[in-house]
Structures are given as structure tokens and as C-alpha cells.
Amino acid sequence: MLGVHFAIAADQERALLTAGDRGDSDSVGEILENIEESWSDDGLTVDTDKAWNAIHRCLTDGTVDPDAGVYPLSHAVLGGRHLHDEYPVVYLSATEVRDVAHTLRSVEPTWLRSRFDAINDPDYLGAHDDTDFAYTWDAFTELQAFYDRAAASGRAVIFTAT
């Protein structure tokens, strides 16, 4: 599964939350598809490819449990409000985005590496070596910068993995 974060506009946020409140996964999927198709490269999206999995594990308890870990680190990828039943579509409010952005700034490479090395889950599909960590760290730094931009713009964020 490939992961992407979007800093969404207010009208997109309202539409997604309305569909999510109704439990209408089909509408959430359609809205998300429209967001993906109309997106421009304006710095308000980040593609973490497959690294989202390791990033979430490092920021939580080593698993991909969306309820694992401690806020706000736990909300950088899978933590937050889930809007779809079949695949991750995770919503963070603008306030949560600011909290995540602030906390991600304090993550150092040595800390993330120690968390990466501690992943002990047979379901983790990465190589779990130096190259895999470099890939994870590169994606993490892009995610940090994305959250800073999203927070500065006052936007909510959607994470999806398909």
C-alpha cells in the first residue's frame, strides 16, 4: 500500500466529514478520488510511498495499530478519525495538524533509528536494514516539512493508503 498525505481545503474537509458522519464510505472514496485527480504540486501533499508503514511503527509501539502510541506522534500517519471502512482515510483537524507539526520537529535521526531498530513485528515487510532506514528517514523528513506547511496554511490533513 502506498501512502499519501493531503492538506485539504475547507470545502473538501466539510464534504469528507459529512460523508464520514453518515458512514458513507462510497462518498468518502469519491471525494478522495476527486482530491487526488485535481491535486497540483503546491507543497500541500506528500507521498510517503511504502515508508508510511515504518514511520507509523517508529512513532508508536512498533505496530500499525491506528490506536497505538501517544498523541500527537501517533497521529502523524494512522492515528486520527477514520472515514473509510475498507482502506485508510484518516482525518486530522487543523488543530491536530499543528500539534503533530510541532512534535515532529523534535524527532532526531538517532531517536527514529532506535525506534526503527526496535521494530519486532513479523508482519513488517521492509528489509529492516540501513537502506530501509535511509528510505524511511527521507520520507519522514518530507513528512515533517509537509506538516509544517499544512500547519502554516491552517489546513486539515487526510492520510490515505491504497
Side-chain angles (χ1 to χ4, degrees):
M1 293 173 65
L2 306 178
V4 182
H5 286 76
F6 296 93
I8 56 175
D11 60 325
Q12 295 166 326
E13 179 182 15
R14 280 189 301 276
L16 282 165
L17 291 177
T18 299
D21 286 345
R22 290 191 318 257
D24 187 352
S25 288
D26 290 339
S27 290
V28 168
E30 289 172 16
I31 295 164
L32 183 60
E33 187 176 315
N34 288 336
I35 290 170
E36 291 170 345
E37 288 175 359
S38 66
W39 210 261
S40 63
D41 188 19
D42 57 5
L44 293 175
T45 185
V46 66
D47 178 351
T48 52
D49 195 43
K50 295 177 184 174
W52 68 268
N53 185 295
I55 293 168
H56 181 76
R57 289 171 186 275
C58 290
L59 298 178
T60 62
D61 67 351
T63 70
V64 290
D65 180 352
D67 297 321
V70 177
Y71 180 83
L73 285 178
S74 63
H75 281 53
V77 181
L78 287 177
R81 182 173 170 196
H82 288 251
L83 302 176
H84 201 281
D85 294 331
E86 295 176 26
Y87 56 88
V89 178
V90 185
Y91 164 81
L92 295 183
S93 70
T95 299
E96 292 168 317
V97 169
R98 282 190 301 275
D99 292 346
V100 170
H102 176 76
T103 303
L104 290 181
R105 286 184 213 120
S106 66
V107 174
E108 302 275 334
T110 54
W111 181 85
L112 197 73
R113 179 62 192 243
S114 70
R115 304 287 296 193
F116 177 83
D117 289 342
I119 295 172
N120 188 23
D121 184 345
D123 292 332
Y124 179 64
L125 301 177
H128 210 240
D129 59 13
D130 289 342
T131 302
D132 190 24
F133 177 73
Y135 169 75
T136 300
W137 177 253
D138 287 346
F140 176 78
T141 60
E142 291 179 19
L143 186 63
Q144 277 179 316
F146 162 80
Y147 268 106
D148 282 341
R149 292 187 302 271
S153 68
R155 291 190 179 211
V157 164
I158 290 291
F159 168 74
T160 186
T162 54

